[in-house]
């Protein structure tokens, strides 16, 4: 509650700041999702880990995150005697966040195999709790996880045997992290314009030459990067995937010069740099060629990490917002008592529960796929859900963070309250690993090339039909009917010209994402009602189905493209 201090003739008002409690115990949606998804014996075994991390996230880890944010990385290009060293100095708190991630196995869990198909659900539960108290150390973990999966799928046995155990270690002193160096000056998502060249020297080793414009996790021990072997054709077909060690056997920089650290809107504790590769020794990942295809496992994993990071950020904003609402007095009552404020927070909770449902549905499918227990239908559904989960949750996180800061009034705009960081950091989510438009085009490819529409619709309607007699039966029926309508409409869209289809890609993707979230939302609602967990999940599903599934655009004509060109100011 608000406090006052005596200073002179009258008391001075001082507002109590929002406080965190155990972040696992405070999140009923996350707790109930895990209880529904996991077998009882597995849930009972893992719950103490979640509860312990929830306590740490509310206390010591949150303190480490604040310390790392206040002490951003800095580049030391030269030593005292003028030698080029290119050292990136990070905060002690950042190093401790690394150690905490290693001890808890946040990159190791999917590769330890003892949890079988449930490993990803467990890992994502831990990431949801750790992420908001990590100063975005989760970026390192995402790329490390993706690199391990890529090497296991595509690298020669010797390379995978040397590197993967280091990427999946629980020993803080043994764990390596991996960067991902794709973005160049000529292109980000369009890697076909990659200018980095790979040359094979007389000693048989490959060396890389080029500039990487945006490299996250620049302090990682290794990185995966695309380069064009000398003599290979232009375009994406000529690219190969390489693994680069940051340092050579003597500990010196491996032909890597750090040009500058990036001054970013958010993720300020995360060292991100522009690099020059000047003969960096590298190893091909598998045979030369097919570099873009080989990088796909990494992109899929990091996009899933992006989604769970978005969920974690939304959960943290909501927890702080609720605590503050009970402390802040306005117009004679607490914010928590105000109907309009309740309505606002309720809307944010619906967004969070939909994001959580979609993300964990995809995580469940990923775990079953990696364990070799997924059907063809489930693998096709995962192919679609991966870009959908990333694009929808990223946009939700930005919207929830922005609306959430409004709930704190002016305090939400003042840096030393620690609140603006949520909006600054959320904004990276729809940009990193594919913007909304880039992912929407990937959805179109999945529909047209990979044939995912029919298997996705079959599994979704089957799951919804099973809920017909439950507490959520009416809403489940409405979702099932919308899926039938959307599937038919998308078949018609399949005959549109490429330009017309591309113009509608974003709306198509957002409609499919909302429908995909509605399926597990309805399952969660039915489970919660049957388990006596109250009305919250049923209300969240009902509101989502009633108001958050956008219609598909009508079949567009070429004239629509011309109109958009005029409105955008980009015609001619």
């Amino acid at each position: 509650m608000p406090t006052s201090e005596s200073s002179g003739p009258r008391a001075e008002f001082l507002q109590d700041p929002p406080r965190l409690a155990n972040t696992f115990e405070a999140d009923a949606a996350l707790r109930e999702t895990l209880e529904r998804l996991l077998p009882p014996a597995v849930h009972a075994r893992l719950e103490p880990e979640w509860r312990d991390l929830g306590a740490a996230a509310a206390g010591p880890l949150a303190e480490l995150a604040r310390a790392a944010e206040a002490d951003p990385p800095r580049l030391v290009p030269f030593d005292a005697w003028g030698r080029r060293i290119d050292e990136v100095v990070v905060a002690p708190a950042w190093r401790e966040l690394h150690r905490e991630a290693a001890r808890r196995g946040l990159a190791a869990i999917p590769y330890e195999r003892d949890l079988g198909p449930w490993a990803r659900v467990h890992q994502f539960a831990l990431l949801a709790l750790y992420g908001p108290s990590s100063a975005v150390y989760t970026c390192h973990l995402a790329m490390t996880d993706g690199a391990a999966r890529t090497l296991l799928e595509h690298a020669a046995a010797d390379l995978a045997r040397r590197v993967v155990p280091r990427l999946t270690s629980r020993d803080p002193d043994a764990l390596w992290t991996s960067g991902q160096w794709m973005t160049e000056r000529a292109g980000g998502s369009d890697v076909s314009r990659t200018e980095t060249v790979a040359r094979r020297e007389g000693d048989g080793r490959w060396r890389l030459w080029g500039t990487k414009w945006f490299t996250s996790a620049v302090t990682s021990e290794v990185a995966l990067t695309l380069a064009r072997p000398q003599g290979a054709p232009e375009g994406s077909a000529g690219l190969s995937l390489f693994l680069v060690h940051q340092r050579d056997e003597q500990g010196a920089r491996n032909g890597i010069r750090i040009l500058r650290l990036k001054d970013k809107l958010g993720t300020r504790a995360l060292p991100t740099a522009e690099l020059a590769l000047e003969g960096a020794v590298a190893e091909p990942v598998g045979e030369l060629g097919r570099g873009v295809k080989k990088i796909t496992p990494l992109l899929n994993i990091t996009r899933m990490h992006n989604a769970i990071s978005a969920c974690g950020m939304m959960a943290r904003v909501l927890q702080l917002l609720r605590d503050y609402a009970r402390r802040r007095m306005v117009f004679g009552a607490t914010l928590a008592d105000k109907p309009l404020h309740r309505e606002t927070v309720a809307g944010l909770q619906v967004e969070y529960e939909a994001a959580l449902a979609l993300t964990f549905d995809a995580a469940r499918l990923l775990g079953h796929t990696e364990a070799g227990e997924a059907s063809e239908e489930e693998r096709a559904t995962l192919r679609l859900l991966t870009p959908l989960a990333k694009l929808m949750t990223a946009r939700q996180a930005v919207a929830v963070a922005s609306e959430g800061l409004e709930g704190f009034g002016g305090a939400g705009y003042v840096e030393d309250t620690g609140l603006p960081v949520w909006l600054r950091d959320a904004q990276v989510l729809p940009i990193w690993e594919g913007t909304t438009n880039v992912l929407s085009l990937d959805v179109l490819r999945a529909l047209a090339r990979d044939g995912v529409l029919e298997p996705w619709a079959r599994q979704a309607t089957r799951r919804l039909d099973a809920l017909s007699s439950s507490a959520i039966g009416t809403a489940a029926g409405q979702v099932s009917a919308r899926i039938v309508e959307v599937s038919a409409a998308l078949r018609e869209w399949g005959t549109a010209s490429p330009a017309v289809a591309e113009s509608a890609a974003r709306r198509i993707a957002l409609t499919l994402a909302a429908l995909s979230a509605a399926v597990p939302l309805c399952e969660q609602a039915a489970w919660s009602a049957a388990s006596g967990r109250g009305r919250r999940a049923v209300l969240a599903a009902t509101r989502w189905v009633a108001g958050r599934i956008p219609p598909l655009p009508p079949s567009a004509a070429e004239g629509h493209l011309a109109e958009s060109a005029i409105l955008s100011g980009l015609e001619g």
Side-chain angles (χ1 to χ4, degrees):
M1 296 297 293
T3 61
S4 61
E5 292 184 3
S6 178
S7 177
R10 63 178 182 176
E12 178 183 332
F13 172 82
L14 294 174
Q15 175 64 49
D16 273 355
R19 294 184 174 87
L20 289 175
N22 185 304
T23 60
F24 176 69
E25 294 175 355
D27 193 342
L30 175 62
R31 294 198 319 272
E32 292 172 16
T33 296
L34 296 171
E35 192 172 354
R36 175 178 67 87
L37 288 175
L38 294 172
V42 175
H43 183 274
R45 170 188 164 188
L46 300 176
E47 186 177 30
E49 289 189 49
W50 307 326
R51 198 171 300 278
D52 179 70
L53 182 51
L61 287 184
E63 290 296 330
L64 287 173
R66 283 190 284 271
E69 181 82 6
D71 186 9
R74 55 188 176 88
L75 174 62
V76 180
F78 301 98
D79 71 7
W81 304 99
R83 294 180 181 86
R84 186 94 195 197
I85 57 173
D86 284 341
E87 292 289 346
V88 177
V89 179
V90 297
W94 185 255
R95 293 195 294 271
E96 186 54 36
L97 288 165
H98 164 88
R99 302 184 70 81
E100 185 72 12
R103 285 189 289 261
R104 294 185 184 272
L106 298 186
I109 289 167
Y111 305 94
E112 293 174 333
R113 299 187 178 180
D114 60 320
L115 288 174
W118 309 114
R120 286 293 181 181
V121 171
H122 177 40
Q123 180 200 31
F124 275 39
L126 292 173
L127 288 170
L129 299 166
Y130 170 84
S133 293
S134 75
V136 200
Y137 193 84
T138 45
C139 179
H140 278 268
L141 300 175
M143 290 184 287
T144 301
D145 188 352
R149 177 56 54 196
T150 299
L151 292 174
L152 288 173
E153 292 191 17
H154 294 296
D158 175 65
L159 177 57
R161 190 164 47 246
R162 282 186 283 116
V163 177
V164 173
R166 299 300 300 266
L167 299 177
T168 58
S169 176
R170 285 180 179 255
D171 180 349
D173 296 318
L175 175 65
W176 286 356
T177 57
S178 176
Q180 173 190 337
W181 301 349
M182 306 297 161
T183 303
E184 301 195 359
R185 292 166 179 159
S189 296
D190 182 9
V191 296
S192 67
R193 301 181 66 193
T194 294
E195 296 178 329
T196 298
V197 174
R199 299 174 186 154
R200 193 162 197 175
E201 305 291 343
D203 58 5
R205 296 195 297 180
W206 288 90
R207 293 181 179 273
L208 306 185
W209 304 82
T211 300
K212 297 296 181 178
W213 186 80
F214 195 95
T215 61
S216 293
V218 71
T219 53
S220 293
E221 286 79 5
V222 295
L224 290 177
T225 188
L226 291 172
R228 194 179 311 280
Q230 200 165 27
E234 295 298 313
S236 58
L239 297 175
S240 292
L241 182 63
F242 290 86
L243 179 113
V244 183
H245 287 261
Q246 284 260 20
R247 297 185 180 276
D248 61 22
E249 294 83 352
Q250 288 73 44
R253 283 279 176 193
N254 171 28
I256 299 169
R257 184 158 55 93
I258 300 179
L259 302 179
R260 56 175 170 165
L261 295 183
K262 296 295 190 180
D263 185 8
K264 299 165 293 179
L265 170 67
T267 67
R268 293 177 177 174
L270 173 66
T272 306
E274 185 172 345
L275 304 178
L277 305 179
E278 299 172 338
V281 175
E283 296 180 73
V285 176
E287 298 295 325
L288 291 181
R290 299 173 61 245
V292 174
K293 184 174 180 60
K294 288 177 184 176
I295 208 69
T296 299
L298 189 152
L299 296 176
N300 287 338
I301 295 294
T302 53
R303 286 168 178 173
M304 291 287 293
H305 275 259
N306 204 89
I308 197 60
S309 292
C311 292
M313 284 189 188
M314 285 186 267
R316 181 61 58 87
V317 169
L318 280 161
Q319 187 180 354
L320 291 168
L321 197 56
R322 289 193 180 99
D323 185 78
Y324 185 73
R326 294 185 174 98
R327 299 174 185 277
R328 180 65 170 171
M329 298 291 296
V330 288
F331 304 116
T334 65
L335 266 178
D337 292 326
K338 299 297 182 181
L340 182 54
H341 192 71
R342 287 182 175 181
E343 185 68 21
T344 301
V345 177
L348 301 182
Q349 181 68 21
V350 171
E351 296 295 323
Y352 168 56
E353 297 210 19
L356 196 71
L358 178 56
T359 300
F360 273 95
D361 207 32
R364 174 185 62 84
L365 290 175
L366 177 61
H368 279 71
T369 298
E370 291 177 337
E373 299 183 16
S375 65
E376 287 291 339
E377 185 178 86
E378 288 174 321
R379 287 194 288 271
T381 299
L382 178 61
R383 167 69 181 93
L384 181 61
L385 292 195
T386 299
L388 292 180
K390 194 278 185 184
L391 71 87
M392 188 184 89
T393 60
R395 293 170 62 81
Q396 288 173 303
V398 175
V400 168
S402 179
E403 187 73 65
L405 292 195
E406 282 193 50
F408 297 98
Y413 199 68
V414 177
E415 282 286 356
D416 58 6
T417 64
L419 296 170
V421 68
W422 302 113
L423 183 56
R424 289 192 284 102
D425 285 354
Q427 189 59 64
V428 77
L429 297 172
I431 295 173
W432 190 61
E433 296 299 31
T435 62
T436 305
N437 283 356
V438 167
L439 291 166
S440 297
L441 294 175
D442 188 44
V443 169
L444 286 191
R445 283 192 296 273
L447 295 171
R449 185 184 65 194
D450 301 330
V452 300
L453 179 61
E454 296 300 333
W456 167 79
R458 280 197 307 271
Q459 61 84 34
T461 53
R462 186 171 60 248
R463 292 161 65 184
L464 292 164
D465 289 347
L467 306 176
S468 59
S469 60
S470 72
I472 200 69
T474 299
Q478 292 168 348
V479 177
S480 187
R482 286 294 307 278
I483 288 173
V484 172
E485 294 171 5
V486 166
S487 297
L490 286 175
R491 292 186 196 98
E492 292 184 14
W493 270 99
T495 65
S497 71
V500 169
E502 179 179 322
S503 71
R506 177 186 282 238
R507 292 176 65 183
I508 289 170
L510 290 172
T511 297
L512 289 173
L515 286 168
S516 296
V519 177
L521 263 180
C522 287
E523 290 178 326
Q524 188 68 42
W527 179 91
S528 295
S531 303
R533 302 308 172 87
R535 300 175 60 208
R536 191 208 73 256
V538 173
L539 293 171
T542 302
R543 288 199 180 190
W544 181 263
V545 171
R548 285 291 284 111
I549 302 176
L552 274 183
S555 296
E558 298 294 337
H560 180 83
L561 297 180
E563 292 168 359
S564 294
I566 293 169
L567 285 169
S568 68
L570 300 173
E571 78 278 15

